[in-house]
Amino acid sequence: MQALHGSTRGGRKVAGLLAGVTAALLIASVSAGAQEWRTSSSLIDPEVETKPFERYDYVNPDAPKGGTLNSAVFGTFDSFNPFIVRGTPAAGLTFFGGILWETLMQQSPDEPSTSHPLIAEAFKYPEDYSSATYRLDPDAHWHDGEPITAEDVVWSLDVLKEISPQHNRYFANVTEAVALSDHEVEFRFDQAGNRELPHIMGDLPVLPKHWWEGTDARGRQRNIREPTLEPPLGSGPYRIKSFDPGSEIVWERVEDYWGADLPVSIGRNNFDLQRYTYFQDDNAEFLAFQKGGTEDIRREVSTRRWVQNYDFPAVEAGDVVKREFESASIEAMQAFVFNMREPRFQDRRVREALTLAYNFEEQNRTHFFGLNKRFSSYFEKSELAATGLPEGRELEILEEFREALPPDLFTEEFKLPVYTPRTEREYLREAVRLFGEAGWEIRDGRMVNKETGRQFTIEFLGGSPTAEIITSGIIPNLRKIGIAATLRIVDTSQYIQRLQNFDFDATTGRFAQTNSPGNEQRDYWSSEAADIPGSRNMGGIKDPVVDALVDKIIYAEDREELVALTRALDRVLLWNYYMVPQYYQPTMRFAYWNKFGIPEEQPDYIGVDIDSWWIDPERERALAAKYRSQN
């Protein structure tokens, strides 16, 4: 639930839209509206900027406040600083601020690539997109009553670019932020033509400079470059009430939250308390959910459990509800990532062979009851996904790099192996052949280097027992062709630290995308990010073609060009076998104790907005009385 709460909450205030604001964010040649102040904006739908925004259509504007939302979290935490590589941040915190710190604008849970005012009430930019100016809401203030100023914004950008690999790449083209007044700040860019950059400056979390540069209760200087367990000063709808390091954290709703009346706060942020309890064992967490009182809403990611284990008394009595939601957002690619910083994974033929060894169909049948689907794109379920053969503008783009690309990319449709009892031997035989071309051979049942005689080894790194199921479709087949494939499961803190420092052979990675890809692609795929600890380029991709396509995506002049470029990037990533795509659940599966009021509709884009739910006191009391004896 941490990701849900970190990514879907927020609020905006619309003071009124200026007439004549059109598709300035979509068409680079717009001049008339370029320097007009704008409130809501979209990189996809220009109509967003022409109609008043009063609240989200799906929320209940009269939703009552109160009660406690109990959530369970797997692992541990040891820091309230989510912006640095060191430490494991507590639930409720993300590198975009979470529920403690507000951003300048807030991304809409209902429409892709759309944002509405939050700390900033409006922004503007010149027609060449060479800068952006944000005007702060004069009512915005910190929990200590101090106003949020342009100086806070300038300091936040500077320090986050210094300490956070994600922000460093995301805002790589921002040369400086300048406070024009107490409530206006101008961001200056190193190049013109990046139509996304003025928009995504709204994603900047704003931090309290006076608090971080001050001293704690013991008179010690605070340091944002280090982990901390001192509850930080925030500006959002919640603040830390209490915590037990590694075990529990409780957030309380801020009664005098300055943004409570903003349009996207209406009908949201309804729980008085949000309590997160940490578990070290997934089975113990599920048992706690069955009893009630520790976890109220559970997103079930285990297909086996969803099918077989929701038969306990509370479900049969209707006190626990199973429900599936659908989302229109791009599925976050989940894949086996091989660390190409290790020489044995740098050969494309080896990576293709590893892809051939993954038997998704058998895994789906035996573990997932045939309910999961396999990824075929890094931009699954969107118009950005590469399909068929390249054609039109996409083909023109790829022709520029033909000599550096696999020839088959231009003549064959990319397809992953589909296992049947008859094809398994065929795929493994082809995998052995590819290993042979790459300098490996089978001796005495072991895949060894032809020159050194050393066996090919892969240690898959996992952070929970779920990794046993995830790797079940590939490890047995790797062993069949002589590879010493093993799985190592470590505790959450060690797992996170090893991922951040790229200390693994192979692991499972997830790569969330938006319908308007841009600057974040650098952090995923660029050669520069490959060498930065904590970046999301987990596999260490260093490909000049990928670098060039990422830059072109960032500076795409219109939507049509962006789609063509992204399809080209998708195709290049697939044909180079940088990862082995795994699977996704076609619906979002939730089970929850029946104590909630839920809007009749949920947002089409993200599928579920828990922050729009509220607690029904009568139902809560009835459930507590009924199940008190079990606890």
Side-chain angles (χ1 to χ4, degrees):
M1 297 307 299
Q2 178 179 357
L4 275 172
H5 283 80
S7 63
T8 65
R9 54 150 299 278
R12 300 91 172 156
K13 174 175 141 183
V14 176
L17 290 173
L18 297 175
V21 178
T22 58
L25 286 173
L26 295 174
I27 306 173
S29 62
V30 169
S31 59
Q35 282 286 31
E36 294 178 342
W37 289 106
R38 64 199 65 222
T39 50
S40 297
S41 68
S42 173
L43 290 167
I44 297 177
D45 181 9
E47 290 188 6
V48 168
E49 301 183 0
T50 65
K51 54 188 178 183
F53 178 74
E54 298 176 353
R55 64 171 174 83
Y56 288 115
D57 292 338
Y58 64 87
V59 303
N60 173 10
D62 300 317
K65 308 291 185 183
T68 299
L69 173 64
N70 298 293
S71 301
V73 187
F74 185 83
T76 186
F77 74 91
D78 57 12
S79 177
F80 296 141
N81 186 348
F83 306 113
I84 58 176
V85 174
R86 291 177 55 201
T88 303
L93 297 171
T94 72
F95 66 85
F96 281 128
I99 59 177
L100 179 62
W101 294 291
E102 299 289 28
T103 49
L104 287 171
M105 307 282 280
Q106 189 71 19
Q107 293 294 327
S108 169
D110 204 24
E111 297 177 271
S113 304
T114 297
S115 61
H116 302 287
L118 192 49
I119 288 177
E121 62 181 9
F123 75 106
K124 63 181 180 179
Y125 53 86
E127 62 180 281
D128 65 355
Y129 307 106
S130 60
S131 66
T133 302
Y134 276 73
R135 187 177 71 211
L136 307 189
D137 188 327
D139 293 332
H141 59 262
W142 305 106
H143 293 159
D144 64 359
E146 290 293 313
I148 300 175
T149 68
E151 185 178 359
D152 290 315
V153 178
V154 171
W155 184 82
S156 298
L157 176 70
D158 290 344
V159 75
L160 288 174
K161 287 192 67 175
E162 174 193 344
I163 67 174
S164 167
Q166 291 91 343
H167 292 91
N168 182 274
R169 301 314 315 143
Y170 198 55
F171 299 121
N173 292 109
V174 186
T175 58
E176 64 176 335
V178 178
L180 304 180
S181 68
D182 284 346
H183 291 94
E184 283 191 24
V185 59
E186 180 180 79
F187 300 102
R188 297 170 181 171
F189 310 145
D190 61 4
Q191 295 183 36
N194 185 340
R195 70 186 185 91
E196 181 196 44
L197 198 47
H199 176 93
I200 67 169
M201 293 312 304
D203 296 335
L204 177 70
V206 181
L207 309 176
K209 177 183 178 182
H210 70 283
W211 190 87
W212 283 104
E213 291 191 342
T215 56
D216 63 18
R218 298 184 181 181
R220 295 174 299 190
Q221 179 65 50
R222 298 187 180 100
N223 187 355
I224 197 171
R225 296 160 184 82
E226 299 290 337
T228 182
L229 281 175
E230 179 188 11
L233 177 68
S235 62
Y238 289 89
R239 61 186 167 208
I240 297 171
K241 179 181 181 180
S242 63
F243 66 96
D244 181 3
S247 299
E248 180 186 86
I249 181 170
V250 180
W251 296 84
E252 64 179 352
R253 187 167 56 84
V254 178
E255 289 290 342
D256 61 349
Y257 168 50
W258 68 271
D261 295 327
L262 299 180
V264 272
S265 289
I266 295 174
R268 306 178 74 225
N269 305 318
N270 299 319
F271 309 112
D272 278 351
L273 297 176
Q274 295 193 41
R275 174 181 286 108
Y276 293 90
T277 302
Y278 280 78
F279 289 83
Q280 299 297 321
D281 181 84
D282 185 57
N283 290 325
E285 180 184 331
F286 184 60
L287 288 173
F289 173 72
Q290 294 180 48
K291 293 181 179 181
T294 303
E295 185 177 21
D296 298 328
I297 306 172
R298 178 181 177 87
R299 181 170 183 184
E300 187 55 75
V301 296
S302 168
T303 302
R304 178 177 294 276
R305 184 177 288 136
W306 182 256
V307 173
Q308 293 186 330
N309 298 128
Y310 281 85
D311 56 358
F312 50 91
V315 175
E316 295 174 352
D319 296 328
V320 167
V321 178
K322 290 178 64 180
R323 183 174 173 183
E324 297 184 56
F325 298 87
E326 294 186 0
S327 166
S329 61
I330 297 176
E331 290 289 342
M333 164 67 88
Q334 179 175 305
F336 292 115
V337 180
F338 298 96
N339 192 347
M340 288 178 288
R341 301 167 187 85
E342 299 291 333
R344 65 186 182 280
F345 297 118
Q346 292 174 1
D347 194 304
R348 175 180 174 272
R349 294 165 295 188
V350 166
R351 300 194 300 272
E352 182 178 358
L354 296 174
T355 300
L356 289 170
Y358 178 40
N359 187 343
F360 163 73
E361 285 70 30
E362 178 67 12
Q363 183 186 41
N364 196 30
R365 183 184 68 82
T366 57
H367 290 289
F368 308 136
F369 302 87
L371 296 178
N372 288 351
K373 294 184 178 181
R374 191 169 189 192
F375 283 99
S376 59
S377 167
Y378 287 80
F379 302 87
E380 194 76 31
K381 288 172 45 180
S382 79
E383 65 173 339
L384 303 172
T387 58
L389 295 176
E391 58 184 18
R393 178 58 184 145
E394 182 196 350
L395 179 59
E396 293 177 2
I397 293 166
L398 291 168
E399 285 287 0
E400 179 182 345
F401 308 102
R402 178 181 279 272
E403 297 302 317
L405 294 173
D408 291 347
L409 178 150
F410 294 92
T411 59
E412 296 182 20
E413 180 180 0
F414 182 84
K415 292 184 178 180
L416 292 165
V418 177
Y419 269 74
T420 68
R422 294 183 177 180
T423 59
E424 178 176 347
R425 185 183 298 272
E426 174 187 335
Y427 290 136
L428 295 183
R429 185 184 298 115
E430 177 63 9
V432 171
R433 186 191 70 79
L434 289 167
F435 266 108
E437 289 185 359
W440 301 82
E441 65 182 4
I442 296 179
R443 298 179 192 168
D444 301 323
R446 300 161 68 244
M447 181 69 72
V448 299
N449 186 279
K450 292 178 181 179
E451 296 183 359
T452 67
R454 292 181 179 177
Q455 186 176 14
F456 198 104
T457 63
I458 304 176
E459 180 186 81
F460 289 83
L461 181 67
S464 77
T466 304
E468 295 179 3
I469 296 175
I470 294 174
T471 57
S472 66
I474 192 169
I475 285 181
N477 276 354
L478 293 176
R479 290 172 176 171
K480 287 179 183 178
I481 60 175
I483 293 174
T486 58
L487 169 64
R488 183 179 181 187
I489 298 175
V490 299
D491 64 70
T492 303
S493 294
Q494 185 179 356
Y495 178 71
I496 292 173
Q497 291 300 314
R498 287 188 61 174
L499 290 186
Q500 290 176 334
N501 291 288
F502 310 128
D503 181 17
F504 62 88
D505 289 344
T507 191
T508 291
R510 283 178 59 84
F511 304 87
Q513 295 286 358
T514 74
N515 283 276
S516 291
N519 286 35
E520 77 286 344
Q521 302 303 305
R522 287 194 180 110
D523 199 41
Y524 280 142
W525 323 119
S526 74
S527 298
E528 183 177 359
D531 296 325
I532 300 176
S535 83
R536 290 176 285 184
N537 189 348
M538 297 170 61
I541 297 172
K542 290 187 175 183
D543 184 334
V545 176
V546 171
D547 289 340
L549 289 173
V550 166
D551 281 343
K552 288 177 180 292
I553 285 171
I554 291 171
Y555 291 99
E557 294 185 354
D558 53 41
R559 179 70 185 176
E560 183 178 359
E561 182 72 359
L562 178 66
V563 170
L565 286 164
T566 306
R567 288 176 179 173
L569 174 64
D570 188 31
R571 200 178 300 272
V572 170
L573 292 172
L574 290 169
W575 273 100
N576 278 295
Y577 297 97
Y578 287 126
M579 302 175 192
V580 179
Q582 294 179 8
Y583 49 83
Y584 64 94
Q585 297 173 352
T587 60
M588 304 166 67
R589 302 161 184 162
F590 281 84
Y592 55 87
W593 283 85
N594 193 15
K595 69 176 192 177
F596 296 99
I598 303 175
E600 185 175 341
E601 300 292 335
Q602 286 288 275
D604 290 336
Y605 180 50
I606 66 168
V608 179
D609 178 12
I610 301 298
D611 290 325
S612 70
W613 297 19
W614 65 93
I615 291 175
D616 184 313
E618 292 186 6
R619 292 185 193 174
E620 185 175 47
R621 283 192 294 269
L623 288 173
K626 184 175 181 179
Y627 292 93
R628 185 177 295 116
S629 61
Q630 298 183 15
N631 297 317

